[in-house]
Amino acid sequence: MMKRLPGIHAPHLKNTDAKTAEILPVPKLVHIPMSMHIGAPARSVVTVGDIVKVGQLLGEPDGAVSSPVHSSVSGTVKSIDAIDAVTNERGTVIIIESDGLQTPLETLTPPDVNTAEDFIAAVRDSGVVGLGGAGFPTAVKLTVKDIAQVEYFIVNGAECEPYITSDTRTMIDDAELLWDGIRLVKKHLGVTNILIGIENNKPEAIRVLSDYAAKEPIAKVVSLPAMYPQGGEKVLIYNLTGRIVEEGKLPLDAGCIVINCTTLAAVARYIKTGMPLVEKRVTVDGSAVRTPKNVIAPIGTPLSDIFDFCGGLTDDVRKILYGGPMMGVAVLSVSAPVKKSTNAIIALNAKDAALPRETECIRCGRCIGGCPLGLMPAVLRDYFLLGRTDMLEKYKVNLCMECGCCSFNCPAKRSLTQTMKLAKARLRESQAAKNK
Ligand code: SF4
Ligand code: SF4
């Protein structure tokens, strides 16, 4: 039996896994950042007062690692701001007042895709980026000089974070589109070994996709133990293939490409319809959400519209996260928008949001035993507090993927993950200073 990397058995809390996404009413206003991906922000191509339609280009890619951004509503460009007034983040944000009609741009047609180059160009034009949360431009990921390098093309359906079920619903409700995406990568990229990794707490998704695989065996569905962080790229690669992505290397160096299942379905939707990425399936859950749901929302929709659609928030709401409780990022305001990479918004009540009281380390080693990357969080924390960047470097804090397993496992409730983030930042600063 293949060895698997360690992880944790976090509560699944998949309250919405049986809920097909509901379509959100058209928001009055959308708030579309030009940077919703890794790489250079898109460059705005509209001006205030322009009338735009659904699918119209708002921002063109600005460099090799970038992605176009399209309008998710029809309406009028109300403002173009250099600083996001809601999140206070720097970067261009286009605010569009919707006319409520959702008129699609008339010139949108499915792209002609006959060659690998056509396929990559279509993926770029689709505006699709890693929709599982990473936001890396998908066209860049799929641009491979020598396809013979790709021994495993992996479709990530693990979705291991508590609460989140948006990928699960993609695999069930958009199974045909996802399978179209698998056919496309096989046909145009020529990959031969396609694995779909799904955790075994998603039996319906495994059944639906296994039915496709039985009729058309171009890809193999692999049921994986439901264990966090099964969906982490390096973890998934190891657990499916036994390959290790070495430090400083890419999955491709280990013969693998990993694409999230919703990302692949979005690529297939664009190639089928010509409509770029303008909406997102989002799980809305957490102890402060009155009616947890999956919803399909235009990109740029304020979170407040989505919470209202889910019955509102409870009075004791304390924390809102983009993403799940393990790796999610706190949101400053309910006016913040749904972005391309938003797969969940989780609202927690006072009890669930309360930070536990830290006690002394009892040297139990559970943080070390549970780290999927074999790091030593307790030791790294000591070195961070001592200011020993040399030891942070020696013990590879840079490899930490901030998964949260160490904090979850710690009986002393030490905020290890937060310390790892700070330690990584300190090491980066120290290395940058040295390089100067
Ligand atoms: S947060 Fe970092 S150190 Fe902690 S378990 Fe995850 S990878 Fe390991
Ligand atoms: S799990 Fe917590 S208590 Fe145990 S060694 Fe790690 S930091 Fe210390």
Side-chain angles (χ1 to χ4, degrees):
M1 204 171 100
M2 190 183 288
K3 273 170 71 179
R4 298 198 195 277
L5 289 175
I8 56 168
H9 293 282
H12 298 164
L13 304 169
K14 304 280 189 184
N15 308 311
T16 56
D17 59 357
K19 295 188 179 180
T20 296
E22 297 177 33
I23 295 177
L24 198 82
V26 185
K28 286 194 174 71
L29 217 59
V30 290
H31 191 100
I32 303 184
M34 290 294 98
S35 181
M36 293 187 277
H37 50 265
I38 289 174
R43 192 175 47 240
S44 167
V45 294
V46 290
T47 51
V48 174
D50 282 359
I51 306 288
V52 294
K53 300 202 172 150
V54 180
Q56 184 168 334
L57 188 72
L58 297 178
E60 59 187 12
D62 194 10
V65 182
S66 186
S67 179
V69 176
H70 302 84
S71 183
S72 60
V73 295
S74 54
T76 309
V77 176
K78 202 173 160 231
S79 66
I80 300 177
D81 301 338
I83 292 185
D84 188 327
V86 171
T87 60
N88 234 3
E89 287 169 16
R90 285 183 182 279
T92 306
V93 178
I94 298 180
I95 295 169
I96 303 171
E97 197 164 46
S98 161
D99 59 14
L101 301 174
Q102 289 304 79
T103 311
L105 186 68
E106 304 79 5
T107 51
L108 292 179
T109 50
D112 270 340
V113 177
N114 299 305
T115 63
E117 290 73 30
D118 294 344
F119 178 63
I120 298 294
V123 175
R124 189 178 309 111
D125 294 345
S126 70
V128 173
V129 300
L131 301 181
F136 192 76
T138 304
V140 179
K141 204 176 215 185
L142 294 179
T143 303
V144 179
K145 274 196 191 123
D146 177 11
I147 203 66
Q149 249 187 301
V150 185
E151 292 170 72
Y152 296 96
F153 188 94
I154 295 171
V155 180
N156 189 347
E159 198 168 54
C160 54
E161 270 259 9
Y163 289 113
I164 308 178
T165 63
S166 49
D167 281 348
T168 304
R169 291 318 308 180
T170 294
M171 291 187 280
I172 297 168
D173 300 330
D174 289 343
E176 182 63 34
L177 268 181
L178 175 55
W179 210 259
D180 281 347
I182 289 169
R183 290 185 192 110
L184 286 165
V185 294
K186 179 156 175 77
K187 181 175 174 191
H188 297 297
L189 298 185
V191 290
T192 49
N193 197 359
I194 304 176
L195 302 175
I196 311 169
I198 309 177
E199 282 189 316
N200 61 11
N201 63 347
K202 304 167 188 53
E204 179 69 359
I206 291 175
R207 186 191 63 72
V208 170
L209 293 176
S210 297
D211 284 352
Y212 276 89
K215 284 186 226 128
E216 195 183 3
I218 56 173
K220 185 176 159 201
V221 176
V222 183
S223 170
L224 295 161
M227 178 215 80
Y228 180 86
Q230 189 69 265
E233 198 167 61
K234 290 178 182 172
V235 177
L236 189 63
I237 288 172
Y238 184 80
N239 287 349
L240 282 173
T241 70
R243 303 272 173 100
I244 292 173
V245 181
E246 303 284 352
E247 182 182 359
K249 300 285 184 189
L250 297 169
L252 194 56
D253 297 309
C256 300
I257 288 183
V258 182
I259 296 281
N260 161 270
C261 57
T262 300
T263 306
L264 195 54
V267 165
R269 177 178 283 115
Y270 174 70
I271 290 175
K272 192 172 185 178
T273 66
M275 179 57 76
L277 181 70
V278 293
E279 61 183 22
K280 194 71 206 292
R281 183 184 278 106
V282 180
T283 299
V284 191
D285 203 347
S287 47
V289 175
R290 289 190 198 277
T291 314
K293 290 179 182 180
N294 280 303
V295 302
I296 292 178
I299 287 166
T301 301
L303 303 189
S304 53
D305 286 25
I306 298 181
F307 287 130
D308 288 349
F309 186 67
C310 295
L313 295 171
T314 58
D315 294 339
D316 60 347
V317 60
R318 282 293 178 282
K319 189 181 265 185
I320 296 172
L321 301 168
Y322 276 133
M326 299 301 292
M327 291 189 78
V329 176
V331 180
L332 286 180
S333 160
V334 287
S335 303
V338 166
K339 299 182 187 176
K340 288 183 180 181
S341 55
T342 308
N343 54 4
I345 45 173
I346 305 298
L348 301 174
N349 64 19
K351 178 171 160 279
D352 287 353
L355 292 175
R357 196 174 64 85
E358 283 192 25
T359 54
E360 285 303 307
C361 171
I362 55 169
R363 299 285 159 192
C364 65
R366 288 181 60 186
C367 56
I368 297 169
C371 175
L373 300 181
L375 302 178
M376 298 195 288
V379 176
L380 285 163
R381 179 175 161 127
D382 289 347
Y383 283 129
F384 172 74
L385 295 176
L386 290 168
R388 293 287 304 272
T389 45
D390 58 329
M391 299 308 272
L392 294 177
E393 187 169 9
K394 180 172 177 190
Y395 287 104
K396 304 287 180 198
V397 76
N398 56 306
L399 293 182
C400 170
M401 60 175 172
E402 303 172 16
C403 65
C405 290
C406 47
S407 300
F408 182 90
N409 266 350
C410 177
K413 306 292 174 208
R414 295 170 83 77
S415 52
L416 296 164
T417 310
Q418 289 84 344
T419 309
M420 294 308 110
K421 288 185 191 184
L422 295 171
K424 281 170 71 180
R426 183 175 294 171
L427 179 59
R428 274 195 304 270
E429 278 165 23
S430 145
Q431 287 170 334
K434 265 191 218 157
N435 292 339
K436 260 187 189 170

